[in-house]
């Protein structure tokens, strides 16, 4: 008589192997889709230009955040009532020490153009500390602009950005 040698049956493992292959294929498919969406949906950075009201405001805010006060000042219209001198503007903004804290975010909320004037509404979001998640609130400020030739210049903005007493003294 021949001895019967025990053999391993893989019948119990086929379901597990198939499940593992499906899971790995699904993860691979998700990775391919994620990578493809990054390539296809990636938008180029918006070029800031002063030929639109919101572009002028964004350029102004960007210049302030980089402490390039000369550039920021160039977006103010000469027709601005009580326009400070460039030196007063620079000293005032330099003394403010920057505007955007870690807990503040600004976005263009609305643009209303009635040629040759426009109003850009900025929405400020601020997050405070709180017992659990903190609290967030928002408020709006308007920036008024006037079209001067092909470009837009700021004719009015909050005293947050310009000195309200002229001349500005320390």
């Amino acid at each position: 008589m021949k001895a019967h040698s025990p053999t391993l049956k893989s019948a119990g493992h086929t379901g597990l192997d198939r499940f593992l292959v499906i899971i790995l294929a699904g993860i691979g498919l998700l990775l391919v889709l994620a990578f493809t969406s990054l390539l296809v949906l990636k938008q180029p950075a918006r070029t800031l230009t002063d030929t639109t009201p919101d572009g002028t405001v964004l350029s102004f805010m960007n210049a302030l955040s980089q402490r390039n006060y000369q550039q920021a000042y160039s977006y103010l219209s000469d027709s601005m009532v009580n326009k400070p001198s460039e030196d007063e503007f620079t000293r005032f903004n330099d003394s403010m020490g920057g505007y955007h804290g870690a807990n503040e975010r600004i976005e263009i909320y609305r643009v209303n153009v009635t040629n040759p004037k426009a109003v850009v509404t900025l929405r400020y979001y601020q997050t405070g500390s709180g017992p659990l998640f903190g609290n967030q609130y928002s408020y709006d400020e308007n920036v008024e602009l006037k079209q001067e030739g092909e470009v837009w210049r700021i004719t009015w903005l909050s005293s947050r950005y310009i000195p309200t007493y002229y001349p500005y003294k320390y």
Side-chain angles (χ1 to χ4, degrees):
M1 262 179 110
K2 243 180 168 182
H4 189 280
S5 62
T7 59
L8 291 175
K9 293 187 179 181
S10 60
H13 295 288
T14 57
L16 182 60
D17 291 343
R18 192 174 318 166
F19 179 72
L20 185 59
V21 167
I22 290 171
I23 293 294
L24 291 175
I27 291 172
L29 180 63
L30 286 175
L31 289 173
V32 168
L33 288 173
F35 182 72
T36 303
S37 69
L38 283 176
L39 292 177
V40 172
L41 298 177
K42 185 176 180 183
Q43 298 291 323
R46 180 176 174 192
T47 304
L48 300 178
T49 175
D50 58 359
T51 58
T52 63
D54 52 332
T56 298
V57 172
L58 287 173
S59 296
F60 175 81
M61 299 300 279
N62 189 44
L64 279 181
S65 70
Q66 294 175 3
R67 295 182 182 228
N68 185 346
Y69 302 124
Q70 183 178 12
Q71 181 69 32
Y73 188 81
S74 73
Y75 296 111
L76 302 181
S77 174
D78 288 335
S79 66
M80 176 184 265
V81 175
N82 293 327
K83 180 181 179 181
S85 70
E86 186 173 343
D87 184 54
E88 291 166 337
F89 177 82
T90 299
R91 284 185 299 169
F92 176 80
N93 284 287
D94 198 40
S95 72
M96 297 300 285
Y99 295 98
H100 314 298
N103 297 329
E104 183 176 62
R105 183 173 57 91
I106 302 172
E107 72 177 10
I108 300 287
Y109 179 66
R110 185 180 317 122
V111 179
N112 184 15
V113 179
T114 54
N115 283 333
K117 296 182 178 191
V119 175
V120 175
T121 303
L122 298 174
R123 177 154 289 172
Y124 294 80
Y125 296 93
Q126 293 185 332
T127 304
S129 59
L132 209 49
F133 298 109
N135 52 3
Q136 181 178 15
Y137 66 95
S138 65
Y139 62 95
D140 297 344
E141 285 186 358
N142 290 331
V143 178
E144 296 177 10
L145 301 97
K146 179 175 123 180
Q147 191 169 19
E148 298 177 354
E150 296 296 314
V151 297
W152 289 85
R153 292 293 176 251
I154 297 169
T155 57
W156 186 90
L157 70 160
S158 166
S159 61
R160 177 180 183 160
Y161 302 106
I162 57 171
T164 54
Y165 301 104
Y166 301 98
Y168 186 71
K169 306 253 184 205
Y170 292 94

